[in-house]
Amino acid sequence: MTMTTATPNTATPNTATWNDPAVREGYALIAQRGPFVYGLTNYIAANLSANVLLAAGAGPAIGAASDWVTTFPAGASAVWINTASLMSSGEESLRAVARTAFEAGTPWVLDPVAVGAGAVEYDNFVRSLLEFRPAAIRGNASELIALAGGQATGKGVETTVDSSAAVAVVAEFAAKAGAVVAVSGPVDYISDGSRTVEVPGGDVRLTRVTGAGCALGALTAASIFAVGDAFQGAVVSHAAYAVAAERAGVRTRGTGSFAVALVDELSLLNEDA
């Protein structure tokens, strides 16, 4: 599959959308390869995350049951860790998943929920997971600026900074962390430190449905495995999510119906692809 061409982070980012053949081909590969994606996420987001993965053609498993944390990451196609899973799982469970994935060579995605919101002990723990070299890190602007060492302060799990204000930080952080970094917002930006792509689109109701951003982390993990490249995988997942949200928004009015329609539209994207 032809890779999306991206510009260095010193230039205006190129734009990626669902209309790009490489994006459609990449999304279709999820259903074709049917990856097993294991994750730890918070109990609020678990249902939507699982349904998003199933809609794309991946097989999810979620939770820290028994010895899953030391078994599943080694056998999974990809892994994602939403650090708000600390609501129901212990720190050692998260570290075990990250460590096992890293040692097994399984690509994993870190979603640093609410970093920078003032919980210092929590923030330090999330930063400690970076030693296990995630393939990708995704979050909102406040979270990523804070994780990179900046002063942006989130309001709980919500960002107080527009994604466009984080572009330079995202690129620098990606280079430093050796990971693809993706920031979500009115426009999403994805960088590996040398290339940066913007993904426009979506719908404002993504910010009004619990777990919508968390589920994008799960989809990104599946996409990275399917495509075989962290940068292009992140571009594919964000572009697919954006167009699915746009289509869901056109045919719904409220946030509840929007959430259901988002899953519907992700499942229907394979007809386009």
Side-chain angles (χ1 to χ4, degrees):
M1 183 180 66
T2 303
M3 298 289 292
T4 297
T5 302
T7 56
N9 59 38
T10 55
T12 301
N14 280 351
T15 301
T17 71
W18 179 249
N19 291 327
D20 297 344
V23 169
R24 295 184 181 220
E25 292 169 15
Y27 190 79
L29 286 174
I30 299 175
Q32 291 173 23
R33 296 181 176 172
F36 164 43
V37 184
Y38 173 62
L40 294 184
T41 192
N42 63 83
Y43 52 77
I44 298 169
N47 185 67
L48 182 58
S49 297
N51 284 334
V52 162
L53 285 170
L54 289 167
I62 299 173
S66 191
D67 58 351
W68 286 14
V69 297
T70 56
T71 303
F72 283 5
S77 305
V79 166
W80 92 99
I81 297 175
N82 176 311
T83 54
S85 58
L86 287 171
M87 294 161 63
S88 55
S89 300
E91 290 184 0
E92 192 48 47
S93 290
L94 272 69
R95 288 186 65 83
V97 171
R99 182 188 304 110
T100 302
F102 172 65
E103 293 176 350
T106 305
W108 70 281
V109 175
L110 174 63
D111 189 339
V113 177
V115 165
V120 177
E121 183 178 341
Y122 170 80
D123 289 0
N124 289 336
F125 171 74
V126 175
R127 290 189 182 96
S128 76
L129 296 178
L130 294 174
E131 71 177 284
F132 300 115
R133 304 297 299 273
I137 304 166
R138 70 142 311 275
N140 64 42
S142 289
E143 292 163 347
L144 294 176
I145 291 172
L147 190 61
Q151 297 301 311
T153 301
K155 186 178 180 181
V157 299
E158 304 298 331
T159 187
T160 58
V161 182
D162 189 89
S163 56
S164 61
V167 178
V169 173
V170 163
E172 292 171 6
F173 183 37
K176 179 179 179 180
V180 171
V181 178
V183 57
S184 297
V187 176
D188 297 346
Y189 296 92
I190 298 132
S191 181
D192 64 0
S194 62
R195 302 171 292 173
T196 301
V197 159
E198 64 177 21
V199 179
D203 188 284
V204 69
R205 280 170 287 181
L206 285 172
T207 65
R208 299 170 186 166
V209 172
T210 300
C214 305
L216 178 53
L219 183 61
T220 298
S223 184
I224 287 172
F225 169 80
V227 174
D229 178 84
F231 181 78
Q232 183 67 3
V235 171
V236 166
S237 62
H238 283 71
Y241 216 63
V243 74
E246 287 179 349
R247 294 178 181 182
V250 167
R251 63 184 180 89
T252 58
R253 293 181 61 191
T255 56
S257 57
F258 172 79
V260 173
L262 174 66
V263 176
D264 281 347
E265 294 298 339
L266 285 167
S267 71
L268 294 172
L269 285 183
N270 278 315
E271 294 182 7
D272 286 358

